Amino acid sequence: MVQTDNGKGGRSSLHGFWSSRLAFILAVTGSAVGLGNIWKFPYIAGQNGGGAFVLVYLLCVFGVGLPIMMSEVLLGRRGRRNPVASMALLGEEEGGTRSWSLIGLSGVVAGFLILSFYSVIAGWVFAYIFKSGAGDFAGADAEQVKTLVQSLEGSWLATGAWHTLFMGLTVFVVARGVERGLEVAVTLMVPALIVILVLLLGYSMTSGEFEMGVRFLFEPDFSKLSAGSVLAAMGQAFFTLSIGMGCVMAYGAYLPQETSIPATAFSVVCADTAIALLSGLVIFPIVFANGLDPTAGPELIFQALPLSFGNMPFGTFFGTLFFMLVGFAALTSAISLMEPAVAWAVESFSVTRARASVIIGLIIWVLGFLSVLSFNVLSDFTFWQGTFLDNLDYLTSNIMLPLGGLMITVFCGWVMCRNASVAELDVGAGNLYQAWRILTRFVAPLAVVLVFLNAIGLLDWLIALF
Ligand code: PHE
């Protein structure tokens, strides 16, 4: 399915190409759609007061995330190598320094850190496939679901075992290099996920506090919007779109020259946003109807969803199917989290793909135990943002990814010559190109800088100064 040469110009590649535009869209969609939409969006929205947060999140997705995603694909395709080497090469060609490879390197590190906790939560999803299949959700009430979550997170052995299983599966797929085959399965997964979410929406509309849920998500109350929430909304936009760490760049390196980057990025961003919003609409009516705490954090969906499945017709069947699909969505995201590191190792150290995947996977697996223990043995050991997991999540989503994104916009908008981006985006130099260019040169970098300044309290100070 993968060709080695597209014969369409552009730099010659060190590796194969996606067989079609669709294969690439599916790969990036598989990367973007995952726990970020189903698990993280509802819980972060819950912790940050809903409506106003969601509004900022949407602004960040379309105003900052979309242009950065296009920039990342553009850089990957122009460099045609792993993100570290692509950025070194382009940096040298366009800006005279190879130091831009730092973008790639920070992405490799971010991928390690993110996957280490991502795998732990994905492990819970896998545990829930079996719990649902065993009928554990049947007739559940609020107290029962809380016990259900506690019995899982309270045991480091159980959480650790599921984490091990998930990492094993990820390494297996990446090592065998069959991930391209999985993209075909995304064609089924994403629509199936949407169908079950719509089904769940039906349940939330009839049995939940639907109006309250809608109000919570879409009625902005700006008094609830702290500087920290704005940063969280921006971080979530980066996390959910898989941008700022070279993952989309790594995939862009396999993209044939003639594929339209703007159209591709736009469809991925829309699908991702739709799934996140749908997930929020499913969760909150159930949370409010059952007196659950919207600020419950990472446990939120693991409490709310069993209530829906446990009390709807054929809930055991749909619940099992749903968690299987989410598990699969998490797997396609996990694969993409490893891609920059694996591609980099293979291209730089002449190791085989299999060996690189196993070694990288092992390091991430060990690191993951910090997050496994965050819920039990080390749950009282908190610093800075909270537990180890909270800190890893905060550091990566709210700091590393936006910083990576900032550097990408600076490179694409200010360092790279205009002709290069005109040629890669291939939409002429008309309005669409201009819009991208303004967003990339001014809007996105400024937004990131302002949100950072705001978060550390310097923005107010600066405003007062003028
Ligand atoms: N976007 C993925 C999700 O929403 C997570 C991810 C982040 C994947 C960064 C790759 C890079 O689940």
Side-chain angles (χ1 to χ4, degrees), residues 184-195:
V184 181
V186 175
T187 337
L188 294 176
M189 176 195 80
V190 172
L193 204 56
I194 294 180
V195 169

Side-chain angles (χ1 to χ4, degrees), residues 68 71-73 75-76 82-92 97-111 238 242-250 340-341 344 399-416:
I68 294 186
S71 305
E72 263 199 47
V73 183
L75 291 176
N82 69 76
V84 183
S86 281
M87 286 316 301
L89 186 73
L90 294 175
E92 196 166 35
T97 163
R98 293 176 70 84
S99 315
W100 287 98
S101 62
L102 247 170
I103 296 181
L105 274 178
S106 89
V108 168
V109 176
F238 277 85
S242 309
I243 51 173
M245 60 150 285
C247 153
V248 177
M249 202 188 293
W344 173 63
I399 300 176
M400 294 181 78
L401 300 186
L403 265 183
L406 178 63
M407 291 197 284
I408 288 168
T409 57
V410 170
F411 188 81
C412 267
W414 296 94
V415 178
M416 199 171 193

Side-chain angles (χ1 to χ4, degrees), residues 31-37 114 118 239-242 245 247 333 336-337:
S31 167
V33 174
L35 297 178
N37 311 60
I114 295 176
Y118 200 86
F239 184 89
T240 193
L241 298 178
S242 309
M245 60 150 285
C247 153
S333 301
S336 74
L337 279 161

Side-chain angles (χ1 to χ4, degrees), residues 157-226:
L157 202 65
T159 301
W162 290 110
H163 159 60
T164 307
L165 177 89
F166 183 79
M167 268 321 291
L169 209 60
T170 306
V171 169
F172 178 78
V173 173
V174 178
R176 304 226 8 205
V178 294
E179 62 260 47
R180 303 285 177 86
L182 279 192
E183 308 316 337
V184 181
V186 175
T187 337
L188 294 176
M189 176 195 80
V190 172
L193 204 56
I194 294 180
V195 169
I196 303 200
L197 280 171
V198 170
L199 208 81
L200 281 168
L201 187 67
Y203 179 78
S204 288
M205 286 168 105
T206 50
S207 309
E209 291 284 349
F210 192 65
E211 206 189 310
M212 240 172 120
V214 174
R215 284 232 174 106
F216 180 77
L217 276 176
F218 296 113
E219 214 172 65
D221 172 358
F222 290 100
S223 66
K224 288 187 184 155
L225 198 67
S226 65

Side-chain angles (χ1 to χ4, degrees), residues 26-380:
L26 292 175
V28 182
T29 310
S31 167
V33 174
L35 297 178
N37 311 60
I38 313 274
W39 162 72
K40 203 173 166 197
F41 174 74
Y43 109 63
I44 299 271
Q47 279 182 334
N48 289 281
F53 166 92
V54 175
L55 193 68
V56 179
Y57 162 79
L58 290 174
L59 285 176
C60 287
V61 162
F62 287 95
V64 180
L66 181 60
I68 294 186
M69 181 178 276
M70 286 163 60
S71 305
E72 263 199 47
V73 183
L74 180 165
L75 291 176
R77 187 167 71 180
R78 201 158 179 84
R80 287 269 181 245
R81 278 151 183 73
N82 69 76
V84 183
S86 281
M87 286 316 301
L89 186 73
L90 294 175
E92 196 166 35
E93 277 179 8
E94 303 278 344
T97 163
R98 293 176 70 84
S99 315
W100 287 98
S101 62
L102 247 170
I103 296 181
L105 274 178
S106 89
V108 168
V109 176
F112 272 74
L113 299 179
I114 295 176
L115 188 51
S116 79
F117 70 83
Y118 200 86
S119 166
V120 175
I121 306 296
W124 284 7
V125 170
F126 275 76
Y128 265 49
I129 298 175
F130 292 90
K131 284 189 192 297
S132 175
D136 287 1
F137 302 163
D141 60 27
E143 282 318 305
Q144 275 165 289
V145 292
K146 283 185 191 161
T147 322
L148 194 74
V149 181
Q150 274 156 12
S151 70
L152 184 62
E153 66 177 19
S155 155
W156 71 265
L157 202 65
T159 301
W162 290 110
H163 159 60
T164 307
L165 177 89
F166 183 79
M167 268 321 291
L169 209 60
T170 306
V171 169
F172 178 78
V173 173
V174 178
R176 304 226 8 205
V178 294
E179 62 260 47
R180 303 285 177 86
L182 279 192
E183 308 316 337
V184 181
V186 175
T187 337
L188 294 176
M189 176 195 80
V190 172
L193 204 56
I194 294 180
V195 169
I196 303 200
L197 280 171
V198 170
L199 208 81
L200 281 168
L201 187 67
Y203 179 78
S204 288
M205 286 168 105
T206 50
S207 309
E209 291 284 349
F210 192 65
E211 206 189 310
M212 240 172 120
V214 174
R215 284 232 174 106
F216 180 77
L217 276 176
F218 296 113
E219 214 172 65
D221 172 358
F222 290 100
S223 66
K224 288 187 184 155
L225 198 67
S226 65
S229 316
V230 176
L231 179 62
M234 184 177 74
Q236 172 61 11
F238 277 85
F239 184 89
T240 193
L241 298 178
S242 309
I243 51 173
M245 60 150 285
C247 153
V248 177
M249 202 188 293
Y251 279 1
Y254 314 121
L255 186 65
Q257 204 63 30
E258 71 276 15
T259 310
S260 159
I261 293 177
T264 308
F266 188 68
S267 43
V268 173
V269 169
C270 288
D272 188 83
T273 308
I275 295 181
L277 293 179
L278 209 51
S279 176
L281 278 175
V282 162
I283 303 289
F284 287 106
I286 300 302
V287 167
F288 294 130
N290 293 279
L292 295 176
D293 176 10
T295 66
E299 288 91 349
L300 188 66
I301 69 152
F302 295 99
Q303 294 176 351
L305 288 174
L307 285 172
S308 307
F309 290 124
N311 296 293
M312 67 192 253
F314 308 108
T316 299
F317 171 75
F318 287 121
T320 314
L321 189 62
F322 179 80
F323 284 107
M324 280 166 80
L325 291 169
V326 177
F328 188 78
L331 184 64
T332 53
S333 301
I335 289 166
S336 74
L337 279 161
M338 274 184 72
E339 184 61 30
V342 172
W344 173 63
V346 169
E347 287 169 25
S348 326
F349 307 114
S350 66
V351 284
T352 60
R353 197 173 166 84
R355 176 166 289 196
S357 320
V358 171
I359 295 172
I360 289 167
L362 268 175
I363 301 173
I364 297 174
W365 175 71
V366 172
L367 203 63
F369 274 87
L370 286 178
S371 297
V372 166
L373 300 177
S374 291
F375 291 103
N376 33 69
V377 182
L378 295 178
S379 63
D380 291 330

